[in-house]
Amino acid sequence: MQDDSPPDPETWVFLNGTFMPLREAKVPVLDRGFIFGDGIYEVVPAYAGRPFRWAEHLARLKRSLARIRIANPLSDQAWLELVRALIARHSWRDQFVYLHITRGVAKRDHAFPKDASPTVFAMSSELLPVPAVQREEGVAAVSLDDVRWLQCDIKSISLLGNVLARQAAVDGGAVECIQFRDGVMTEGSSSNIWVVKDETVTGAPLDHRILEGIRVGLIESLCAACGLTFRTSALSRQEVACANELLLSSATKEILPITRLDGHPVGSGRPGPVYARLYQAYQDAIAAA
Ligand code: PDD
């Protein structure tokens, strides 16, 4: 039988200086990313071909590299060209680019190798809109104890704690978790969390216990534009449970309402007015970028 359907568009990736089809990209098993999780990453959304908040993502990538003492392998211009070239190879309107740098390939030894050069990998995926039902009804979350390490401000590829936290959410019939360390809210498995009380939007303090999402600064400016008060502060389980609204933010989910926590409705149990204002402001920021 003849198959007239167009072939799947090829997914291209970048590995150590070369663009190649995804299926051809291979990394040696002694890569320290594979052996130790010794590397960092970034996730950059791109709308209509344009990376969104690129300067902020690049700055965080450089901060993460410096924190784990990997010399930045590319210039600012080369990073931007790489991201643009990867986006241009795919026809999806909106994409998210994944950048991944490891300490490179070396004989297995925990200490840094003397002469390894970093592995640089990049890929792009289609950025699909969050399902309409999640935007209309919100998502469920479960609360969890945060048992991760104490350098969560590094965007490390060592994500076992985050993986287990996300799976605990899925096992609990939820989309995300809200983690607490010593009784204080930290973040989700792969998102920042926001507590809305009246006209105030509060996030966790920006310290070693959370990743400073690129949407944190964005939400601060969106709050200013919407006439909302923005602050960061230590939040107890009680304050989270009594929120009028809970929100999560990330590169791929933008801003999303959490309407059930541990099986109980959050506020009215429906996406609230602060979510509606911030989500609209977020879309306006994308359109204006
Ligand atoms: N995760 N906190 C954690 C632990 C995260 O993994 C993420 C993002 C965020 C939000 O950061 P940003 O606003 O820059 O996306 C907060 C990405 C999307 C991921 O790992 O796929």
Side-chain angles (χ1 to χ4, degrees):
M1 205 208 284
Q2 202 186 331
D3 182 4
D4 289 324
S5 61
D8 280 347
E10 189 91 75
T11 296
W12 289 83
V13 302
F14 173 96
L15 182 60
N16 294 329
T18 310
F19 287 95
M20 62 185 79
L22 173 61
R23 65 193 141 73
E24 284 174 19
K26 305 268 187 298
V27 180
V29 291
L30 285 182
D31 192 283
R32 289 176 63 96
F34 183 63
I35 296 284
F36 292 121
D38 184 1
I40 60 96
Y41 76 108
E42 265 302 319
V43 177
V44 187
Y47 297 95
R50 292 196 304 277
F52 184 61
R53 309 291 281 193
W54 168 248
E56 291 83 355
H57 280 283
L58 178 62
R60 187 173 65 184
L61 179 143
K62 293 199 283 187
R63 276 201 310 275
S64 295
L65 284 172
R67 287 288 300 282
I68 70 163
R69 296 157 60 193
I70 292 180
N72 182 359
L74 297 179
S75 67
D76 289 5
Q77 188 57 28
W79 279 117
L80 181 57
E81 279 167 19
L82 158 52
V83 167
R84 285 196 177 136
L86 201 51
I87 292 168
R89 279 177 185 262
H90 301 98
S91 56
W92 306 304
R93 184 183 185 280
D94 300 332
Q95 308 184 23
F96 62 97
V97 176
Y98 176 83
L99 303 171
H100 174 117
I101 302 104
T102 79
R103 205 177 303 280
V105 180
K107 182 168 176 293
R108 185 179 181 279
D109 178 356
H110 290 63
F112 296 172
K114 295 240 163 6
D115 50 8
S117 52
T119 299
V120 179
F121 171 66
M123 65 179 170
S124 190
S125 308
E126 184 172 15
L127 179 57
L128 291 165
V130 168
V133 63
Q134 294 190 356
R135 290 245 165 261
E136 282 152 23
E137 294 177 9
V139 297
V142 295
S143 53
L144 283 184
D145 287 330
D146 193 339
V147 295
R148 300 172 303 158
W149 75 330
L150 286 169
Q151 298 188 66
C152 294
D153 50 329
I154 302 173
K155 202 160 169 66
S156 163
I157 61 168
S158 305
L159 285 172
L160 191 50
N162 305 59
V163 165
L164 293 176
R166 178 79 204 292
Q167 189 57 38
V170 170
D171 292 346
V175 161
E176 183 53 297
C177 60
I178 301 181
Q179 299 178 92
F180 294 85
R181 195 188 287 275
D182 303 327
V184 169
M185 186 188 89
T186 55
E187 61 183 342
S189 68
S190 52
S191 61
N192 292 114
I193 305 291
W194 303 95
V195 173
V196 178
K197 197 77 185 171
D198 303 322
E199 297 275 291
T200 300
V201 178
T202 308
L206 299 175
D207 59 21
H208 59 282
R209 290 172 294 189
I210 68 162
L211 180 76
E212 181 176 347
I214 300 309
R215 268 125 289 278
V216 172
L218 180 58
I219 287 173
E220 183 172 11
S221 55
L222 298 182
C223 282
C226 293
L228 297 162
T229 303
F230 171 95
R231 57 182 198 127
T232 58
S233 168
L235 290 159
S236 67
R237 286 178 187 264
Q238 178 68 7
E239 286 170 292
V240 174
C242 293
N244 299 139
E245 299 178 40
L246 292 175
L247 312 173
L248 65 80
S249 66
S250 79
T252 47
K253 299 218 160 43
E254 302 174 342
I255 303 176
L256 197 59
I258 295 170
T259 47
R260 292 191 78 75
L261 179 61
D262 299 327
H264 303 292
V266 176
S268 69
R270 305 284 311 159
V274 169
Y275 162 69
R277 281 154 74 185
L278 286 175
Y279 180 65
Q280 184 54 53
Y282 195 107
Q283 298 310 307
D284 294 345
I286 292 170

